[in-house]
Amino acid sequence: MASIIVPANPSEARAGRFGVYGGRYVPETLVAALDELEHAYDEAKMDAAFQAELADLLKDYAGRPTPLYFAKRLTEQLGGAKIYLKREDLLHTGAHKINNALGQGLLAKRMGKKRVIAETGAGQHGVATASACALFGLECVVYMGDVDMERQELNVKRMRLLGTEVRGVSSGSKTLKDAISEAMRDWVTNVRTTYYLLGSALGAHPYPTMVRDFHRVISKELKQQILEKEGRLPTAIIACVGGGSNAIGAFYEFIPDRQVRLIGVEAGGRGPALGEHAARFKGGAPGVLQGTYSYVLQDDDGQIALTHSVSAGLDYASIGPEHAALHDSGRAEYVSCDDATALDAVVRLARTEGILPAIESAHAVAEAIRIAPALPASDILVVNLSGRGDKDMGILARELKL
Amino acid sequence: MPIRFDHKPGLVVYLTAGDPSLDATCEIAVAAIDAGADVIELGVPFSDPLGDGPIIQRASERALARGTRLRDVLALAREIRAARPAAGLVIFSYLNPMLRYGLRKFTDDAAAAGADGVLAIDLIVEEAAEYLAEMSRVNLAPIFLAAPTSSDARLEAIAKYSKGFVYAISRVGITGTQKSITADAKALVERIRRYTRLPVAVGFGISNAEHVAQVAEFADAAVIGSAIVELVENSTAATAPGAVARFIKGLRLRDAALAR
């Protein structure tokens, strides 16, 4: 590929840019690997055999399509808009993350890479990647912050059982951000042999686009299902946003449908002070973290702020660049939900519907609970229930004194 | 001042600014220049230095814990410039602190402080239009990294947009020390020279006189980073300038011929 390399301004439209956001802000060593990945992905995307193999795996291995479930009792209790749940929690390995892990795992195999590395926060991406690597016969190393290893211990053991090496990260805040930095250091060092299976719609181009594409199946199914059940599009789609992969997957097919509100829910944590939450659109400013230009929680000197959320999967200082563009254009709305409200939503959903959501997903449930009562019964809210809460039993037992 | 490599081989010395203190970094830089460093790279500490190994990570954490800010690093640059007007002086930073400071204000202030150039470790040529325009406006030299994995097309662009020197990364990986210089480095420098007559400095993992002598056979300068940062880590503020000066003098004790 002999194209002329010229400097471009962030505002210039090109692959990997979402408005002014996105791009590729990495050490030079990684550029060749990102180019190789972009090229391989572009080919795979057009390859019918690749897409057919992925579709088969999503169906028979992961359990797609996932149901769109009408939460009748919750709807009746709230006495307003109808609430539907898109049941990504029913997928193999317990969350939407498997969509992307299978897609990128197949791509790694196609590229002839034998070693896969990944980062994980809550451990759901780590478990999905560990499973995909077991399935495809690939060596797998997952980086995980020490704090997250402790609070999501069950997932650490699951990964180990699946044959993955889990490496603890003790730098910085010892959470997702630090796990990504460590995975990138590994990738820079082993770039010739290693595939970096990034778990959210984050990082340098092509990751935000590729990860979104692998989760797009969520909104494709959802659109068809809601039209079958209700004969019309929903009033709003609500999803939690850490890096933003489940949200962008649930939103994407509805972006042109201007009448459908797209609502992303960030982690409000313990409160609005910097360091106490992960609400990037409330407390953050545009900046560069880990390969991409997006909203970043940072101090006045451009140092990345510490974050807090009761949910490891939302505990991250930046957000996927496509969300930053959707935010600035006003096409999507972003709100936040604090720790206590999210935990209340876990209990509420468990006791009204018999469904135990991941604490991450409970942030989206909480927003539906908040807005549904004031909306007419003819309105339809769809919550993307991105994961199940089994992994959170340790935290829930402690927080709820079970 | 234009960046020059008067010594053979040239030496570029990286220091994490503010470790163990801003005053100490100033004294260490002056001692390093007096001991024969041609260029000082002043590292701006960053909370998430994903291109760096554990030694520079720890130094950044210490500097940040002491409250070192980008504006302090620029003030430090001004002090070093005043003390040693002829030495090369480069600001080495991750992009986000510069963006938050404002690219225009940063380039204005870096130039006013007397810096010669800037190296942004996570800024590649394609993303650099605005940065290059601001750098050019105040006559600061943009220094880009070239990696063993960089394609020829990339090296051509890196050579075209770099000023001062081209920084060749000796091997794939992060900063840190290593046992020997790989064949990667020599091959990379030869490829870079097809596209530029700028000096080429080789860095990452260069930690002793033998490495410097090896690099001198095919490059214009060697960059010493983690080895010096580790020396500073293991010294006190009072002993670090002397220790760094002795170390730098020792790096040129064996010239290329002796190394063979």
Side-chain angles (χ1 to χ4, degrees):
Chain A
M1 256 197 340
S3 58
I4 301 160
I5 293 160
V6 292
N9 274 311
S11 54
E12 289 172 37
R14 65 204 145 106
R17 283 280 174 191
F18 308 93
V20 298
Y21 300 105
R24 195 178 264 183
Y25 296 92
V26 292
E28 173 66 23
T29 305
L30 288 181
V31 177
L34 291 166
D35 280 342
E36 181 192 10
L37 177 61
E38 182 180 6
H39 195 62
Y41 175 61
D42 284 346
E43 280 183 2
K45 199 160 60 174
M46 296 301 156
D47 179 353
F50 177 88
Q51 294 297 344
E53 190 176 0
L54 179 56
D56 274 353
L57 285 168
L58 287 175
K59 179 168 172 282
D60 294 336
Y61 182 77
R64 300 211 76 90
T66 58
L68 181 66
Y69 168 73
F70 174 46
K72 186 159 175 282
R73 270 172 53 82
L74 184 64
T75 299
E76 283 169 5
Q77 270 191 13
L78 294 168
K82 282 177 114 169
I83 298 175
Y84 280 89
L85 305 174
K86 178 62 174 163
R87 298 293 307 274
E88 294 296 295
D89 62 312
L90 292 177
L91 284 172
H92 177 50
T93 70
H96 71 291
K97 294 291 187 188
I98 192 73
N99 302 328
N100 171 56
L102 288 172
Q104 287 199 54
L106 269 185
L107 188 58
K109 209 173 86 173
R110 182 188 167 96
M111 291 170 74
K113 306 280 182 181
K114 304 274 184 249
R115 178 175 183 267
V116 168
I117 57 170
E119 81 298 333
T120 197
Q124 290 303 104
H125 173 58
V127 169
T129 302
S131 301
C133 287
L135 178 66
F136 300 136
L138 301 168
E139 181 193 343
C140 182
V141 174
V142 170
Y143 290 92
M144 189 170 187
D146 285 348
V147 167
D148 291 340
M149 282 181 74
E150 197 189 323
R151 60 179 163 173
Q152 307 280 208
E153 191 192 355
L154 185 66
N155 274 345
V156 174
K157 300 210 160 104
R158 287 169 79 193
M159 286 184 269
R160 286 181 178 148
L161 180 65
L162 288 159
T164 280
E165 182 192 344
V166 182
R167 291 188 188 165
V169 178
S170 60
S171 57
S173 57
K174 306 177 177 58
T175 59
L176 180 59
K177 169 174 75 79
D178 312 286
I180 293 176
S181 284
E182 209 52 39
M184 288 183 80
R185 290 183 186 115
D186 182 317
W187 200 31
V188 171
T189 307
N190 301 296
V191 62
R192 287 168 172 140
T193 58
T194 296
Y195 183 97
Y196 181 16
L197 208 160
L198 184 61
S200 196
L202 290 170
H205 178 61
Y207 283 106
T209 301
M210 177 171 70
V211 174
R212 176 252 281 155
D213 287 351
F214 285 135
H215 287 303
R216 201 173 157 178
V217 63
I218 302 171
S219 52
K220 276 188 180 158
E221 290 174 6
L222 175 49
K223 201 169 203 175
Q224 193 185 340
Q225 289 166 325
I226 198 73
L227 288 173
E228 279 167 14
K229 285 179 195 289
E230 293 282 347
R232 62 200 165 102
L233 295 178
T235 311
I237 295 168
I238 307 173
C240 64
V241 190
S245 67
N246 93 79
I248 202 68
F251 290 172
Y252 196 68
E253 293 293 323
F254 294 94
I255 291 174
D257 305 310
R258 309 288 301 187
Q259 73 274 31
V260 180
R261 289 172 64 190
L262 306 175
I263 304 173
V265 187
E266 298 185 278
R270 287 185 290 242
L274 195 62
E276 295 294 308
H277 64 86
R280 288 67 47 105
F281 290 126
K282 263 190 191 157
V288 165
L289 177 64
Q290 296 173 332
T292 194
Y293 183 64
S294 184
Y295 279 76
V296 180
L297 288 168
Q298 54 184 310
D299 69 13
D300 292 341
D301 212 37
Q303 304 296 340
I304 308 308
L306 296 180
T307 52
H308 164 79
S309 170
V310 67
S311 62
L314 305 184
D315 198 353
Y316 182 63
S318 186
I319 187 165
E322 195 161 12
H323 287 290
L326 289 171
H327 170 269
D328 282 13
S329 71
R331 179 63 193 93
E333 310 154 48
Y334 295 86
V335 297
S336 63
C337 162
D338 64 28
D339 286 353
T341 310
L343 290 169
D344 286 348
V346 171
V347 176
R348 182 91 181 244
L349 193 67
R351 293 184 185 171
T352 46
E353 298 289 348
I355 294 172
L356 171 57
I359 302 177
E360 288 79 6
S361 319
H363 285 68
V365 175
E367 180 62 11
I369 291 171
R370 190 180 74 81
I371 65 174
L375 296 172
S378 56
D379 276 8
I380 301 164
L381 302 179
V382 178
V383 174
N384 194 39
L385 205 69
S386 55
R388 59 177 175 250
D390 308 43
K391 71 180 175 66
D392 294 320
M393 280 317 300
I395 300 168
L396 293 170
R398 192 175 66 241
E399 296 285 334
L400 304 172
K401 303 188 171 48
L402 300 174
Chain B
M1 283 297 294
I3 293 168
R4 291 198 319 267
F5 294 103
D6 290 337
H7 305 86
K8 285 290 163 198
L11 284 179
V12 178
V13 169
Y14 170 94
L15 299 170
T16 298
D19 176 44
S21 70
L22 288 158
D23 287 345
T25 306
C26 187
E27 286 173 35
I28 296 165
V30 168
I33 293 162
D34 292 346
D38 301 272
V39 175
I40 298 292
E41 277 184 359
L42 266 188
V44 178
F46 183 53
S47 53
D48 297 83
L50 56 81
D52 285 302
I55 294 168
I56 293 178
Q57 284 180 51
R58 288 198 301 270
S60 298
E61 282 175 21
R62 287 191 299 270
L64 288 174
R66 290 186 63 99
T68 309
R69 306 190 58 179
L70 178 51
R71 64 180 184 208
D72 302 324
V73 180
L74 294 172
L76 171 62
R78 187 183 287 269
E79 278 184 62
I80 296 169
R81 170 54 72 228
R84 293 295 178 270
L89 192 55
V90 171
I91 309 291
F92 184 106
S93 183
Y94 287 82
L95 185 57
N96 201 55
M98 300 184 337
L99 289 179
R100 184 70 185 209
Y101 195 90
L103 276 184
R104 170 151 292 211
K105 184 163 181 283
F106 169 74
T107 48
D108 277 344
D109 292 358
D116 301 300
V118 177
L119 197 163
I121 186 171
D122 51 355
L123 185 62
I124 58 173
V125 170
E126 289 94 319
E127 306 287 4
E130 193 185 343
Y131 165 83
L132 284 170
E134 295 295 344
M135 293 287 285
S136 159
R137 188 177 56 81
V138 293
N139 276 323
L140 279 172
I143 295 152
F144 286 100
L145 297 169
T149 51
S150 302
S151 65
D152 285 350
R154 297 198 59 74
L155 293 182
E156 188 175 4
I158 288 162
K160 181 175 172 187
Y161 294 104
S162 292
K163 289 177 186 160
F165 62 95
V166 175
Y167 188 134
I169 300 173
S170 71
R171 51 158 165 75
V172 296
I174 53 179
T175 61
T177 55
Q178 64 186 346
K179 287 212 172 71
S180 62
I181 304 304
T182 64
D184 273 359
K186 186 177 184 208
L188 174 61
V189 172
E190 284 168 2
R191 289 168 61 220
I192 293 168
R193 290 208 197 278
R194 286 188 223 152
Y195 303 106
T196 183
R197 302 178 70 165
L198 284 175
V200 180
V202 173
F204 281 38
I206 295 173
S207 58
N208 58 40
E210 200 173 329
H211 295 163
V212 171
Q214 285 174 316
V215 166
E217 290 179 27
F218 55 85
D220 303 289
V223 187
I224 322 290
S226 297
I228 284 180
V229 173
E230 189 171 36
L231 191 58
V232 171
E233 179 176 49
N234 295 329
S235 307
T236 64
T239 61
V244 169
R246 277 191 300 282
F247 181 78
I248 290 171
K249 284 177 187 155
L251 289 175
R252 284 207 188 87
L253 284 182
R254 305 174 59 185
D255 66 14
L258 281 174
R260 279 195 291 270

